[in-house]
Amino acid sequence: MTSPTNAAAPGGGGQPPELDMDRLSLLLFGHAAFQHLNAACELGLLDLLMDRGPLTAQEIREELGLAERAADILLLGCTALGLTRKEEGRYRAAGLLTSLAQDGTWDKVKDTVAFEQHIVYPGQADFAASLRENTNVGLRRIPGDHPDLYHRFSRHPHLEKVFYRYMRSWSELANEHLVAALDLTGATRLLDCGGGDAVNTVALARRHPGLRATVLEIPSSAPLTKKRIAEAGLDDRVTVQPCDMFADPFPTGNDCVLFAHQLVIWTPEENTTLLRKAYDALDAGGRVVIFNSMSDDEGDGPLVAALDSVYFASLPAEGGMIYPWRLHEECLREAGFTGIERIEVPGWTPHGILVATKQDT
């Protein structure tokens, strides 16, 4: 995976440069900058240039079916933002984007763009109100009665599709490190709590042929999970159990319990509740694994963790953010786990892994 090298880039370490008028302008009009990126993805500009560029403005207009004014607006924005480069009257995609396409990351970036556009953008208009009221005010932008976003998706199949495509891509950007770092040699039973479409369980099951797994997922999404498992050819080893994680008991007799992208949604108190249920579901000596984005203990980054917290503050549930490592560790200790290990994940996304053990009794 290609990752940015600029310390001020998303996910990069170190202090960002001092604020200047260019950076302030990008903050003031950041919503418009994103709309250029989204339009360039939806209209196919960047894919066109990566496939057939460099092209003239007229060639671009003809290929995309855009009027001259519309194409001029799009090319002005994309070139000023660095998404495209203009050289000798022809446009090409930025070198970074071409590199991302070559290593398979670009499609995952596009899934993230669609998620931000169709799900996050409406609700984050209520970010300030969500902070003021300390709850997910932005959820009102998604029609429905349930107090969390995920149960509302059953009424919005298009949004559900966008969300799960994004979550699969976001996981795939980092779960190769989960598979490499998590030694499940000798393990026989994995419990994946809120496992979505089972992208992480499938990866772990393929790495460990002797592993059997159960994915807990809300009833409305369980059919999609079953479909993905069958498509992976693993329905003989991986099963799905429809479950409300807070209301229903966890199945017992597990070597490992996985929370992937779950403990960023809820409050620390709710996370501790889930971790206690995981503790009870594990055999002695079993391990719990937390795999999601992490913020630094110092509270100053990384940038992607800070930006992603706008979504968790505004939309999914009443609590949640990209928590620092130390807070997850506190919840693990309160739930009874020991031997906590941090595993930092390289790359531009702020993923991290925590592993803790239920001691033999």
Side-chain angles (χ1 to χ4, degrees), residues 246-281:
F246 289 100
D248 299 331
F250 288 3
T252 57
N254 303 288
D255 305 295
C256 182
V257 175
L258 172 66
F259 291 99
H261 300 114
Q262 273 295 314
L263 303 189
V264 291
I265 300 171
W266 318 107
T267 66
E269 294 77 18
E270 289 171 320
N271 286 347
T272 301
T273 295
L274 292 175
L275 289 168
R276 285 179 177 143
K277 295 183 73 170
Y279 189 93
D280 292 338

Side-chain angles (χ1 to χ4, degrees), residues 19 115 135 149 156 221 263 305 323 325 332 338 347:
L19 185 68
F115 166 71
T135 191
L149 173 65
H156 307 280
S221 300
L263 303 189
Y323 292 110
W325 294 83
L332 285 165
T338 59

Side-chain angles (χ1 to χ4, degrees), residues 124-156:
Q124 70 181 1
D126 293 315
F127 179 49
S130 297
L131 295 179
R132 187 178 298 113
E133 299 182 29
N134 198 32
T135 191
N136 55 329
V137 176
L139 186 60
R140 64 182 178 177
R141 310 284 178 163
I142 310 293
D145 300 323
H146 202 279
D148 74 60
L149 173 65
Y150 311 108
H151 285 84
R152 295 192 182 191
F153 280 145
S154 61
R155 293 181 52 180
H156 307 280

Side-chain angles (χ1 to χ4, degrees), residues 5-6 24 61 107 117-118 128 145 154 161 187 239 246 248 258 272 277 285-286 290 304 325 359:
T5 56
N6 187 338
L24 180 58
R61 292 197 301 269
D107 284 340
Q117 172 71 7
H118 297 289
D145 300 323
S154 61
K161 182 177 180 181
T239 60
F246 289 100
D248 299 331
L258 172 66
T272 301
K277 295 183 73 170
I290 300 171
V304 173
W325 294 83
Q359 292 297 323

Side-chain angles (χ1 to χ4, degrees), residues 52-282:
R52 296 181 52 193
L55 299 173
T56 66
Q58 181 176 344
E59 290 170 332
I60 291 169
R61 292 197 301 269
E62 292 172 353
E63 289 293 332
L64 299 184
L66 294 178
E68 183 175 358
R69 169 185 165 276
D72 286 349
I73 292 171
L74 181 61
L75 290 171
L76 169 63
C78 288
T79 306
L81 289 166
L83 296 169
T84 56
R85 304 284 294 179
K86 185 179 183 182
E87 298 166 351
E88 298 180 352
R90 291 179 174 269
Y91 295 87
R92 63 171 176 83
L96 173 63
L97 303 187
T98 301
S99 297
L100 293 176
Q102 291 170 346
D103 69 15
T105 302
W106 173 239
D107 284 340
K108 298 176 176 62
V109 172
K110 289 194 294 183
D111 289 342
T112 304
V113 171
F115 166 71
E116 293 291 325
Q117 172 71 7
H118 297 289
I119 296 176
V120 180
Y121 236 80
Q124 70 181 1
D126 293 315
F127 179 49
S130 297
L131 295 179
R132 187 178 298 113
E133 299 182 29
N134 198 32
T135 191
N136 55 329
V137 176
L139 186 60
R140 64 182 178 177
R141 310 284 178 163
I142 310 293
D145 300 323
H146 202 279
D148 74 60
L149 173 65
Y150 311 108
H151 285 84
R152 295 192 182 191
F153 280 145
S154 61
R155 293 181 52 180
H156 307 280
H158 170 66
L159 295 184
E160 183 176 47
K161 182 177 180 181
V162 168
F163 174 79
Y164 281 105
R165 190 167 58 233
Y166 156 73
M167 282 306 306
R168 169 172 286 269
S169 290
W170 192 243
S171 291
E172 287 176 344
L173 285 168
N175 71 4
E176 64 184 275
H177 304 288
L178 172 70
V179 172
L182 185 61
D183 183 7
L184 292 179
T185 303
T188 59
R189 292 294 309 178
L190 170 73
L191 183 65
D192 184 356
C193 299
D197 69 354
V199 57
N200 297 300
T201 290
V202 165
L204 290 168
R206 284 174 170 164
R207 176 65 177 266
H208 301 279
L211 186 68
R212 303 184 72 83
T214 299
V215 180
L216 302 184
E217 184 54 38
I218 58 176
S220 61
S221 300
L224 172 63
T225 310
K226 291 179 181 179
K227 178 182 177 183
R228 295 295 187 223
I229 292 167
E231 289 172 348
L234 290 168
D235 45 358
D236 59 331
R237 291 198 287 130
V238 181
T239 60
V240 181
Q241 181 171 319
C243 177
D244 181 323
M245 291 194 302
F246 289 100
D248 299 331
F250 288 3
T252 57
N254 303 288
D255 305 295
C256 182
V257 175
L258 172 66
F259 291 99
H261 300 114
Q262 273 295 314
L263 303 189
V264 291
I265 300 171
W266 318 107
T267 66
E269 294 77 18
E270 289 171 320
N271 286 347
T272 301
T273 295
L274 292 175
L275 289 168
R276 285 179 177 143
K277 295 183 73 170
Y279 189 93
D280 292 338
L282 282 166

